[in-house]
């Protein structure tokens, strides 16, 4: 498989192009075009369109000779940045950003169920960045554990900092905060400073992490098989809430319950939304149609719910 998430490709037999948003298997990929719909296609039926780069990306140096840095020697400023793809919002790219005057010798290893795989190794020049990984944000719960190792090098008279070892199993809360301006890349994204002393772990902690197979997981309550989204079931003060806010509350509860059903690997779940003017039903179906964990959805039993409920079959 020669394609990666975020690659810009063109269909061989059709006048279509888009971005790779899913690696299905060794032969199949998912391509999302301007209409924001993902199309499964054989990898042999598309070709790479050269010249597209993530806006703001700065290529890292591949040579060992250090770039001359004007002004004061900068010893701090190593960041992990996560940025949504400019064209395919469902894909995020991981960058190591180097604001220091050191060259960084960096590696990324991923670990899943005690199976390790090297994903990146390279030299990141001073005042530059490197894209090291890409992933589907919707598949966050399936992401592996990330292990970053960073060494500092300079030919100048400067003491190198302690090597960085940063291990993280990302959770949804890590991407719920406000995006920040990313140094070097000049884009908004989620940012973590790796050369923060609080994040650097020692060798003993690293050793212990390899033998700690039990991941700490937050408690998520298992949802009922049927979930009523009528506002009077969700809020006691519903008579004081306007229609726009009611819709937002219903959608928030829907997303939270759907996520819980996915976590608990329920085979199916029914959402009772009522017939009404059809706005809530339309919004639910729009979300479900683009959700990567949904196999299919349909009207629930009409003899019980009429047209006021949707049955969701999970993958």
């Amino acid at each position: 498989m020669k394609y990666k998430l975020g690659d810009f490709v063109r269909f061989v037999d059709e006048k279509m192009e888009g971005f790779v948003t899913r690696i299905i298997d060794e032969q199949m990929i998912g391509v999302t075009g301007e209409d924001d719909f993902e199309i499964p296609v054989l990898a042999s039926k598309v070709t790479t369109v050269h010249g597209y780069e993530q806006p703001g990306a700065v290529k890292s140096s591949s040579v060992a000779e250090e770039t001359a840095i004007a002004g004061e020697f900068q010893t701090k400023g190593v960041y992990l940045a996560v940025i949504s793809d400019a064209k395919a919002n469902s894909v995020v790219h991981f960058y190591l950003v180097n604001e220091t005057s050191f060259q960084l010798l960096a590696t990324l290893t991923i670990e899943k169920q005690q199976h390790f795989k090297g994903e990146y190794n390279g030299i990141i020049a001073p005042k530059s960045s490197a894209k090291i990984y890409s992933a589907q944000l919707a598949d966050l719960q399936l992401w592996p554990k990330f292990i970053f190792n960073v060494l500092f090098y300079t030919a100048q008279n400067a003491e190198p900092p302690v090597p960085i070892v940063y291990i993280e199993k990302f959770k949804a809360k890590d991407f719920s905060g406000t995006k920040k301006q990313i140094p070097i890349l000049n884009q908004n994204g989620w940012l973590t400073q790796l050369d923060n002393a609080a994040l650097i772990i020692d060798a003993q902690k690293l050793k212990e992490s390899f033998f700690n197979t039990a991941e700490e997981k937050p408690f998520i309550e298992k949802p009922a098989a049927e979930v009523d989204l009528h506002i009077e079931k969700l809020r006691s003060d519903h008579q004081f809430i306007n229609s726009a806010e009611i819709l937002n509350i219903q959608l928030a509860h829907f997303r939270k319950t759907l996520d819980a059903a996915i976590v608990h690997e329920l085979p199916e779940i029914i959402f009772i939304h009522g017939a009404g003017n059809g706005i809530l039903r339309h919004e639910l179906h729009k979300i479900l149609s683009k959700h990567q964990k949904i196999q299919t959805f349909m009207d629930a039993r009409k003899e019980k719910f009429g047209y006021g409920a949707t049955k969701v079959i999970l993958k």
Side-chain angles (χ1 to χ4, degrees), residues 195-268:
D195 54 352
N196 182 336
L199 295 180
I200 302 174
I201 67 173
D202 60 29
Q204 182 60 31
K205 289 183 179 179
L206 174 60
K207 181 179 177 181
E208 291 172 358
S209 72
F210 289 153
F211 294 96
N212 182 16
T213 57
E215 291 289 339
E216 182 180 344
K217 296 182 179 179
F219 174 75
I220 299 177
E221 185 177 355
K222 184 177 180 179
E226 297 178 3
V227 179
D228 196 334
L229 296 177
H230 285 92
I231 190 62
E232 59 267 23
K233 299 291 185 180
L234 306 179
R235 292 281 291 267
S236 60
D237 60 345
H238 59 88
Q239 64 270 31
F240 304 109
I241 306 175
N242 63 46
S243 57
E245 189 176 352
I246 286 174
L247 180 61
N248 288 333
I249 293 170
Q250 291 171 314
L251 290 176
H253 188 73
F254 162 72
R255 289 190 177 95
K256 179 182 177 181
T257 309
L258 180 61
D259 288 344
I262 293 169
V263 168
H264 286 278
E265 299 181 344
L266 298 186
E268 61 184 51

Side-chain angles (χ1 to χ4, degrees), residues 162-219:
V162 175
I164 295 173
V165 178
Y166 177 65
I167 300 175
E168 185 62 85
K169 181 70 171 73
F170 291 99
K171 303 177 180 65
K173 65 180 179 63
D174 298 317
F175 300 97
S176 61
T178 305
K179 293 183 179 181
K180 301 177 182 178
Q181 180 76 5
I182 307 298
I184 306 297
L185 295 171
N186 296 320
Q187 297 184 71
N188 289 327
W190 296 278
L191 188 67
T192 301
Q193 184 169 358
L194 299 188
D195 54 352
N196 182 336
L199 295 180
I200 302 174
I201 67 173
D202 60 29
Q204 182 60 31
K205 289 183 179 179
L206 174 60
K207 181 179 177 181
E208 291 172 358
S209 72
F210 289 153
F211 294 96
N212 182 16
T213 57
E215 291 289 339
E216 182 180 344
K217 296 182 179 179
F219 174 75

Side-chain angles (χ1 to χ4, degrees), residues 138-162:
D139 293 338
L140 188 147
Q141 294 178 0
L142 304 177
W143 285 5
K145 180 189 291 183
F146 293 78
I147 304 169
F148 300 90
N149 288 270
V150 180
L151 294 172
F152 296 82
Y153 170 81
T154 181
Q156 299 188 42
N157 181 21
E159 181 181 2
V162 175

